[in-house]
Amino acid sequence: MPTKQMTRPKDEIRAAYYDQLGVQFGKKVRSRIHWIIRETKGSQILDIGCSGGLVPILLGREGKQVVGIDVSPEAITESRNALEKEARSVKELIQFEEENLMTFSTSQRFDTVLMTEVLEHIGEPERFVQKACSFLKPGGRLVVTVPFGVNDYADHKRTYYLRHLLEQLTPYGTIDRLERMDKWLGVIVTLHEEKQPIRSMTNQEIDWLETAFEAIERMHLTEIVRLKNQQKKWEQKQLKQQVNEQEYAELSSEHERLLQQVTEQEETITLLAQQYQLVLERYEGALVSNLDVLEANTQWKLKYRSLANSKLGKIAVRYWKFRRKLKQRRARR
């Protein structure tokens, strides 16, 4: 059954440097990158594992000649695309090549070799350190950074504290400086003339390591407190959401009830409108009939007046008056 191929995670150091992954994370990344820039001495620089080319371009802006190599073709493409946006004077100083360090070859020797966030990806870092140091001028400088402590990304092959770095670096040079930058460890090494035995940690380095552990522990404790407060806020929001959902359910029920009431009222209004229309039609019919009667009555009145004003009418009126008086006399007898 075919399995999904694991792809190499994209290094977004450039995006982080320019705050595109968050302001706080950007500050941490810039702190580390600027430390690397400050510790890069001389004019001839080799950056091993240059990723998206951020450090070589920043060094090129300072007039340093930089060769950046990376095993990833995507990283080299990103580096070259970024370099195209730079001034011509910077482009002339920087060269990016898709190369594996263990097969990389050049007659050029460098004042500083950078291996930043590289060793944790390597299963046998001792060979990498030896090959990297072979490109240094006598007395040249090796700048190394690694994640300090547990940093379990999929492509990390080991966890670094201080002892492993001393074992890998002290045969080839003198440790000039140790630096902890948040959860990263930086080491500055000056090249020996000849390879020497591995040395143990000094008391000064043990003190430094304990201080670094305390700082990391306090950082973790601060993060735990922050996460607890965040969890408490989340629980309060969840409780508020439950209350809101209950209120919403009640309002929805009331809304349904009111809709039902409105529907019933609309049905009543429709029925009344129908009844009113029927009554109105009957009233209009009766009104038309009354108008016909009134019109007929008016015509009869006109005819009566015409008849009463005629000679025959006047004789008839006198006759009926005489008959009424005669009837009254008889009634009195």
Side-chain angles (χ1 to χ4, degrees), residues 82 284 308:
E284 288 178 348

Side-chain angles (χ1 to χ4, degrees), residues 22-278:
V23 175
Q24 293 302 319
F25 186 50
K27 289 181 179 179
K28 294 178 181 180
V29 169
R30 283 192 295 276
S31 175
R32 187 165 78 256
I33 295 298
H34 293 167
W35 180 84
I36 294 168
I37 298 296
R38 290 195 303 270
E39 297 300 333
T40 301
K41 305 302 181 182
S43 60
Q44 306 291 323
I45 314 299
L46 173 63
D47 187 359
I48 300 170
C50 64
S51 187
L54 175 64
V55 170
I57 288 175
L58 293 176
L59 291 171
R61 292 174 183 174
E62 297 186 7
K64 297 180 186 290
Q65 296 180 352
V66 187
V67 176
I69 65 172
D70 200 291
V71 72
S72 167
E74 294 83 6
I76 295 302
T77 298
E78 181 184 351
S79 299
R80 289 172 177 169
N81 290 340
L83 184 59
E84 282 299 314
K85 301 175 183 178
E86 296 295 318
R88 181 177 57 83
S89 60
V90 176
K91 295 179 184 178
E92 293 175 349
L93 294 172
I94 301 174
Q95 177 183 351
F96 290 116
E97 299 293 340
E98 180 188 341
E99 293 282 354
N100 187 317
L101 174 64
M102 299 310 297
T103 57
F104 176 63
S105 177
T106 179
S107 59
Q108 184 179 0
R109 292 299 176 264
F110 300 90
D111 299 304
T112 298
V113 171
L114 307 177
M115 276 203 307
T116 57
E117 279 89 270
V118 172
L119 292 180
E120 68 272 17
H121 300 277
I122 308 302
E124 192 179 356
E126 293 79 8
R127 294 174 60 240
F128 256 65
V129 173
Q130 183 177 6
K131 186 68 181 285
C133 290
S134 70
F135 295 113
L136 279 169
K137 296 177 181 179
R141 167 172 288 203
L142 179 65
V143 178
V144 177
T145 64
V146 292
F148 183 37
V150 176
N151 203 327
D152 291 335
Y153 284 99
D155 58 339
H156 286 192
K157 296 182 174 62
R158 65 173 59 206
T159 297
Y160 273 99
Y161 293 104
L162 183 57
R163 183 173 61 84
H164 286 148
L165 276 179
L166 293 178
E167 292 173 351
Q168 293 164 16
L169 299 177
T170 54
Y172 303 98
T174 301
I175 306 295
D176 289 337
R177 185 172 306 158
L178 297 172
E179 188 83 20
R180 183 191 64 83
M181 296 155 283
D182 195 58
K183 284 205 68 181
W184 280 266
L185 178 61
V187 184
I188 306 300
V189 180
T190 300
L191 188 67
H192 291 318
E193 293 183 2
E194 296 181 357
K195 185 177 180 180
Q196 298 182 6
I198 297 172
R199 71 166 176 80
S200 302
M201 292 176 62
T202 65
N203 289 336
Q204 184 179 3
E205 289 167 343
I206 292 173
D207 291 341
W208 180 93
L209 186 61
E210 287 185 347
T211 301
F213 280 149
E214 180 183 359
I216 292 293
E217 188 174 3
R218 290 190 182 280
M219 184 177 68
H220 287 162
L221 289 173
T222 300
E223 181 66 9
I224 288 172
V225 172
R226 187 188 70 82
L227 290 174
K228 284 183 176 180
N229 290 334
Q230 188 173 351
Q231 182 181 12
K232 184 181 295 184
K233 291 180 181 178
W234 180 82
E235 290 174 350
Q236 291 173 348
K237 288 183 179 179
Q238 191 176 34
L239 180 60
K240 185 176 180 180
Q241 182 179 358
Q242 291 175 353
V243 173
N244 290 339
E245 288 176 352
Q246 179 64 31
E247 291 178 352
Y248 176 76
E250 293 174 356
L251 289 174
S252 296
S253 177
E254 179 66 13
H255 178 67
E256 291 295 330
R257 187 186 68 79
L258 292 174
L259 281 179
Q260 181 64 29
Q261 185 177 347
V262 169
T263 301
E264 292 174 356
Q265 290 178 351
E266 287 178 347
E267 292 174 353
T268 301
I269 291 171
T270 301
L271 180 60
L272 290 174
Q274 292 173 351
Q275 293 175 351
Y276 174 77
Q277 184 66 28
L278 182 60

